[in-house]
Amino acid sequence: MKLVSILWPSNYPNFEADSIFVFNRMLLRHLAEFPGLDVTILGPRGMPPVAEQVSHHTIELGRNKFSVRLGFPWAEMRDALAELKPDVVFVNMPEQALALRILVREELRLNTRIVTYVHYVPGNVTEGSGDIVVEPGMDHAGGGQLILVRLLECLYASDLVLTCSNFARNTLMSMAERLFGPDQTSAPIEVLHPPIDLAEVEAAGCRDESGVARIVYNHRLYNEYGTWDIFNLLDELYDEGNSEFRVLVTNPTGARNRERDTINPQVTRNIEVLAKKPYVDLQHFDRRNDYYVALKQSVAGIAPMKANALWSMSVVDVLAVGRPVVAFNIASFSEIGLPVRDLVPDGSSFKARITQILHQSSSHKNQHVEELTNLANQYSAERVAFRFNNQIMAL
């Protein structure tokens, strides 16, 4: 079986902090080891290699959040797929599923199966009313709901839709019913949790943790991630006399190009404000090894306050090094498996849990390391690749 994964970048040009690239690298590296499976990746120039066993074809796929969703290189894509003749196309940008289906079925006359992965939905369904709220960051020129409709087309243009969690699956189904009505028949929607490469985690050395306790915030710095909800609470914690802590902000949106910054300048503004906070250390990591070393030097992580978080690979990164992650009990965070003690209902509970972690003894800090690493082990790249292989072989 020939599988072609098409990788539209989500954090160009910083691929090491690009969730779609990291997801594919971990998944395809192990998938290529299965007998009878030929794996190729189509990706933009500058994308690092995934693995020796994975062929790499270059194609320009856009470099900002609109060009990757609304642009489609028809001629280049046609030529690439005509040469490769895949049995399965793995679509990592659901807004492109319909164009790919028409291209392979009608123009190329291939019986290629379209498998789409929904990494992200730019909105959420309001509890009770069922109304759909679109993220402001995707609602430029009032087009947010239209982009959401384009995303949901993948449910009808794909042969199989995969997504991160049951929360994500339910979100997609609720949105589709709201926008298209209950009588439309969609493709099967199955859960495939994002993978983590445990060998990569283990390879990162653990350096001296002495000094002021450090908490890590390793998420994109968009307002939609609840950046200011979290840091306003941390300001309060600091001002209340809990000054013996630092917060490492890993800034995965570092090295943004001018094009992306022009479309959404809020990240640059947020970085400027965060850099002035007395307890914040802002650091951009180019290498995953350095990133994991930094996580191992922390005492805890903080989840984003994002009501439509389908999953969080960065939360699992922290769990994999045996550190707790404090999260508001929203979205998919309970489904990831975070212990009840780390799921908080409100700001007061958030500050109380952070304070408790900061004042724990060394022996108490190590008490839950095995529990947390075992939790992350459930999402090992080997296990996720095995499940994905079974899912595509069943088509």
Side-chain angles (χ1 to χ4, degrees):
M1 175 183 282
K2 288 185 178 180
L3 179 138
V4 173
S5 179
I6 306 177
L7 197 153
W8 283 266
S10 66
N11 198 29
Y12 187 91
N14 183 11
F15 289 98
E16 290 300 313
D18 185 310
S19 56
I20 294 179
F21 171 74
V22 172
F23 176 105
N24 274 264
R25 182 178 63 186
M26 292 186 288
L27 174 66
L28 301 182
R29 181 183 295 169
H30 292 280
L31 196 67
E33 297 173 356
F34 284 83
L37 198 56
D38 184 319
V39 180
T40 298
I41 190 165
L42 287 181
R45 293 173 183 83
M47 186 181 75
V50 171
E52 286 185 9
Q53 311 97 305
V54 177
S55 302
H56 182 186
H57 284 233
T58 297
I59 185 170
E60 184 57 50
L61 294 168
R63 300 188 178 190
N64 66 61
K65 62 185 176 182
F66 295 119
S67 61
V68 297
R69 290 173 169 83
L70 303 176
F72 189 83
W74 189 278
E76 295 88 346
M77 189 72 75
R78 177 196 60 217
D79 293 345
L81 296 180
E83 176 187 345
L84 294 167
K85 295 182 173 55
D87 298 294
V88 175
V89 167
F90 188 42
V91 184
N92 286 279
M93 191 61 64
E95 293 87 345
Q96 303 289 5
L98 178 59
L100 283 162
R101 182 182 184 89
I102 293 171
L103 175 59
V104 298
R105 298 283 174 84
E106 299 300 324
E107 182 160 353
L108 296 179
R109 299 293 178 181
L110 298 173
N111 189 32
T112 300
R113 299 299 180 188
I114 305 296
V115 177
T116 299
Y117 196 96
V118 180
H119 296 265
Y120 155 74
V121 174
N124 62 287
V125 180
T126 306
E127 285 189 35
S129 68
D131 292 337
I132 295 173
V133 179
V134 179
E135 282 188 2
M138 289 298 294
D139 198 25
H140 291 242
Q145 186 147 315
L146 294 174
I147 289 176
L148 192 56
V149 169
R150 187 178 175 110
L151 181 150
L152 293 170
E153 287 176 357
C154 78
L155 304 184
Y156 312 99
S158 306
D159 298 289
L160 174 65
V161 174
L162 301 174
T163 192
C164 318
S165 60
N166 286 302
F167 170 79
R169 183 177 183 273
N170 293 338
T171 296
L172 290 169
M173 292 171 65
S174 297
M175 286 184 169
E177 183 172 336
R178 184 79 171 180
L179 293 174
F180 297 116
D183 299 326
Q184 298 293 326
T185 302
S186 78
I189 308 173
E190 298 181 9
V191 173
L192 182 73
H193 298 307
I196 183 165
D197 192 328
L198 298 174
E200 199 173 56
V201 177
E202 187 176 345
C206 189
R207 296 173 192 158
D208 184 18
E209 296 179 23
S210 61
V212 177
R214 190 165 69 172
I215 302 164
V216 66
Y217 186 83
N218 55 333
H219 314 290
R220 298 191 185 197
L221 298 175
Y222 301 120
N223 293 344
E224 290 85 356
Y225 277 62
T227 300
W228 295 118
D229 296 298
I230 294 295
F231 279 92
N232 287 340
L233 288 169
L234 291 172
D235 285 347
E236 292 176 15
L237 196 63
Y238 186 84
D239 292 341
E240 289 166 4
N242 295 288
S243 58
E244 291 301 309
F245 74 91
R246 308 288 298 175
V247 176
L248 172 65
V249 178
T250 63
N251 187 22
T253 39
R256 285 161 59 88
N257 59 25
R258 183 178 299 178
E259 180 182 6
R260 292 180 67 203
D261 208 40
T262 300
I263 290 174
N264 188 353
Q266 69 179 227
V267 172
T268 299
R269 290 198 296 263
N270 289 350
I271 289 171
E272 290 172 353
V273 175
L274 287 172
K276 296 175 182 177
K277 293 187 180 295
Y279 58 85
V280 167
D281 297 319
L282 196 65
Q283 189 171 358
H284 168 69
F285 293 97
D286 291 316
R287 297 172 64 245
R288 297 287 289 180
N289 183 79
D290 296 337
Y291 165 71
Y292 280 121
V293 168
L295 297 190
K296 290 180 179 182
Q297 291 175 309
S298 69
V299 297
I302 297 172
M305 194 172 175
K306 194 171 192 290
N308 59 326
L310 307 185
W311 194 257
S312 177
M313 294 173 71
S314 50
V315 163
V316 178
D317 286 343
V318 178
L319 296 174
V321 301
R323 303 297 186 265
V325 178
V326 181
F328 283 83
N329 194 4
I330 55 176
S332 61
F333 296 120
S334 62
E335 189 177 340
I336 289 173
L338 294 181
V340 173
R341 62 181 177 271
D342 295 326
L343 291 167
V344 298
D346 52 41
S348 296
S349 303
F350 173 87
K351 291 191 294 182
R353 181 57 182 145
I354 293 290
T355 301
Q356 185 181 36
I357 291 171
L358 290 173
H359 290 94
Q360 285 176 350
S361 65
S362 297
S363 59
H364 197 276
K365 288 175 185 175
N366 295 326
Q367 183 178 349
H368 301 294
V369 170
E370 186 175 355
E371 173 195 3
L372 298 173
T373 53
N374 286 342
L375 173 57
N377 288 349
Q378 299 177 49
Y379 312 121
S380 71
E382 294 89 344
R383 292 186 181 189
V384 174
F386 180 80
R387 176 167 172 76
F388 181 63
N389 182 64
N390 288 342
Q391 287 171 317
I392 61 174
M393 289 298 177
L395 290 173

